[in-house]
Amino acid sequence: MHYLITLVLSLAMLVSMQVVADPVDINTADVSILAGAIDGVGENKAATIIAYRDAHGPFNSVDELSKVKGIGAQTVDRNRHNLMVVAPVKQ
């Protein structure tokens, strides 16, 4: 029983850590970070996001994520609180 309580408390801590995590920059995140941060996006769609970013340049806003095939406006709206765009540094 002690192990079960410890397991439940550990899982609760992990879930709470996810809730307070910082938003993910969609211009720099890799496949695993995007897949973990965007509800409804697995590794295949995350790879599609990165391919789009590589082909078209960095995103200027989170809303532009809906231009990626397979990512709709509802997905963007549902995840908006967890996403951000950091403007690239111009050289």
Side-chain angles (χ1 to χ4, degrees):
M1 185 67 172
H2 174 71
Y3 293 112
L4 181 60
I5 293 171
T6 302
L7 177 63
V8 170
L9 290 175
S10 297
L11 289 174
M13 286 175 37
L14 287 173
V15 169
S16 67
M17 288 172 54
Q18 180 68 20
V19 171
V20 297
D22 291 332
V24 171
D25 180 6
I26 59 175
N27 282 331
T28 59
D30 64 16
V31 169
S32 62
I33 291 174
L34 289 171
I38 305 174
D39 180 39
V41 170
E43 289 194 1
N44 288 337
K45 281 188 186 176
T48 302
I49 292 169
I50 291 174
Y52 182 93
R53 184 177 72 199
D54 290 344
H56 300 282
F59 295 98
N60 293 309
S61 71
V62 171
D63 291 315
E64 285 186 14
L65 195 58
S66 65
K67 293 181 178 181
V68 177
K69 185 176 180 173
I71 307 293
Q74 288 182 339
T75 300
V76 174
D77 287 339
R78 188 173 62 241
N79 291 283
R80 184 176 307 281
H81 68 282
N82 206 27
L83 304 172
M84 69 177 185
V85 171
V86 175
V89 177
K90 295 183 180 185
Q91 297 181 11

